[in-house]
Amino acid sequence: MRENPLVLHVLGARPNFVKAAPVVRALGELGVRQGIIHTGQHYDALMSDVFFADLGLPEPVANLAVGSGTHARQTAALLVGLEDTFLEQSPDLVVVYGDVNSTLAAILVCAKLGIPSAHVEAGLRSFDRGMPEEVNRIVTDSLSDLLFATSPEALSHLAAEGVPASKVHLVGNPMIDSLFSALPSLDPAPVVARLGLPERYAVATLHRPANVDTPEAAHELVSAVLEVSRQIPLVVPIHPRGRTRLAEAGLVDSPSVRVVDPLGYVDFLSLVRGAALVVTDSGGVQEETTMLGVPCLTVRPNTERPITITHGTNRLVTPALLPAAAEKALADGAVTPSGSQPPLWDGAAGPRIARVISAWLKGDNLSPAAQGIRSE
Ligand code: UD1
Ligand code: UDP
């Protein structure tokens, strides 16, 4: 390894920023030279800039401005932009996060250029290849040199796919590090007042292609959400992907359904913290509600995060069953399985990841146990 090696983080979409912030901070504290490449997959100020501000992320060293497109067009633009960037910057290690197209493209470019790579949030599986994210996860994990798992079941998924255990580190969940860091700032009152919400309300976020991309799916979902709004007023910070389709299906701003722009990280989590119920199809929100103890109904047939059900407040529902499930959840409150929260979701995942990376950069093959983390 050369003197003063360079680590590049490839970030493109909203959840990437949340997962990367603790890793960037911890690597900085260890004195590692690093930079952020923003692919520009998400580009609206409320989908991107606000997260850099709220999470204290440093300015990217480059923004590739790839923007939106079909999977092929967006991924192609990502491949070209990232190849140019890596050739110019010569990173010693590239770190990618989660399961978005920016992650997939970065790992492919690394594999072709022979650049070592690390994947944060390795080994999650929904076993549903109809989800674009599942394809991205499988390819990313098969090509990564260092794999950081957020929950124990990831280890068996990776082992079943033939990933050597020596590459895999169970480190906990950096998204929860970000949540813990934000916790002192999470106050529902100002955002509740600004949006004109009553004291008791629910929050909904919906953006999965299977829920919002066809008029039929959008209609079924919106009917169910409107039925929930007859039980409790709802606020829906709307992801741009579904804005038009959900509006056409009848999701429009009203006193009982506040449809608002996407919220910044601190505003959004403040609202979630004060909510009686969350309805979502987001990956990250399933995890955050688990830690905040807020009942969560996930409108999906499966989840790559089953630990939020076994150790948290999450339940899977179909649109048809959503209204009845909401009624029950509102009556029961948060029912967290006794025994615990997910292991290592303790706010220290970023430093664990940074220690492994720092040792790896020094050519140090310390066992995970010696680094104070678990590998199985
Ligand atoms: C992407 C990820 C998804 C993740 C989500 C987080 C992929 C395949 N999907 O989905 O896993 O859960 O981000 O939010 O990578 N748009 C805007 N402004 C923006 C960004 C997007 O208007 O700043 C609109 C565009 O119309 C675009 C659509 O949203 O076509 C979808 O954006 P895209 O990044 O392709 O996928 P997401 O649905 O955001
Ligand atoms: N989030 C936010 N504002 C919103 C909706 C979500 O800050 O209006 C945050 C949320 O708290 C979580 C992350 O965005 O940290 C999740 O992103 P998203 O749901 O877009 O992606 P997913 O996790 O499904 O990939």
Side-chain angles (χ1 to χ4, degrees), residues 14-15 18-19 42 47 51 99-100 175 205 207-208 237 239 261-265 268-269 281-285 288 305:
R14 179 163 76 179
V18 183
K19 292 163 196 173
H42 285 175
M47 296 296 287
F51 290 87
D99 53 19
V100 304
M175 191 163 234
T205 66
H207 72 275
R208 288 288 148 219
H239 188 291
D261 281 337
L263 291 168
Y265 180 68
F268 179 74
L269 283 181
D281 57 13
S282 158
V285 174
E288 291 161 342
R305 294 164 162 87

Side-chain angles (χ1 to χ4, degrees), residues 33 86 93 97 124 137 147 161 183 190 192 203 275 340 346 369 372:
R33 188 163 68 102
F86 294 167
L93 180 73
Y97 297 83
L124 296 187
R137 290 180 199 119
L147 294 93
E161 289 173 21
L183 218 44
V192 161
V203 177
S340 66
D346 58 0

Side-chain angles (χ1 to χ4, degrees), residues 192-263:
V192 161
R194 198 173 80 229
L195 298 177
L197 295 169
E199 210 171 296
R200 192 170 151 79
Y201 61 91
V203 177
T205 66
L206 301 157
H207 72 275
R208 288 288 148 219
N211 280 334
V212 305
D213 276 11
T214 65
E216 297 73 30
H219 191 267
E220 197 187 358
L221 182 62
V222 169
S223 303
V225 166
L226 294 179
E227 223 174 302
V228 174
S229 76
R230 284 175 212 118
Q231 301 171 37
I232 184 166
L234 267 170
V235 55
V236 191
I238 198 107
H239 188 291
R241 178 180 198 100
R243 183 178 282 132
T244 307
R245 195 85 66 194
L246 294 175
E248 285 165 359
L251 192 74
V252 289
D253 194 34
S254 74
S256 58
V257 188
R258 295 299 332 273
V259 180
V260 300
D261 281 337
L263 291 168

Side-chain angles (χ1 to χ4, degrees), residues 318-331:
T318 59
L321 293 178
L322 174 62
E327 198 175 343
K328 178 164 171 21
L330 288 168

Side-chain angles (χ1 to χ4, degrees), residues 15 41-44 68 71 100-101 133 207-208 239-241:
Q41 178 174 346
H42 285 175
Y43 43 86
D44 291 345
S68 307
H71 281 274
V100 304
N101 282 350
E133 294 83 0
H207 72 275
R208 288 288 148 219
H239 188 291
R241 178 180 198 100

Side-chain angles (χ1 to χ4, degrees), residues 85 191 219 263 297 356:
T85 306
V191 59
H219 191 267
L263 291 168
L297 297 175
V356 177

